[in-house]
Amino acid sequence: MNPNADYLGIVTMLRSLREQGLVSGSEAKKIAARLRVQLGADIIISL
């Protein structure tokens, strides 16, 4: 599995959750930052 592809999918999901009002923007950023490190992704994607 490619960590960058996995991370991109998670960020896409977080954007959707944020747009639906299920998570705040700051929560989404914290989750994305933590998972980026855990997955070992080396790309930067802004929420």
Side-chain angles (χ1 to χ4, degrees):
M1 303 274 301
N2 184 338
N4 290 330
D6 293 341
Y7 181 65
L8 178 59
I10 291 169
V11 168
T12 302
M13 180 189 64
L14 287 170
R15 281 183 184 150
S16 176
L17 291 172
R18 188 191 67 207
E19 289 170 0
Q20 295 174 31
L22 298 173
V23 296
S24 68
S26 62
E27 282 179 311
K29 288 179 183 179
K30 289 177 187 176
I31 293 167
R34 184 172 10 127
L35 290 174
R36 181 174 177 250
V37 171
Q38 286 180 350
L39 291 172
D42 58 2
I43 60 172
I44 299 173
I45 302 171
S46 64
L47 285 168

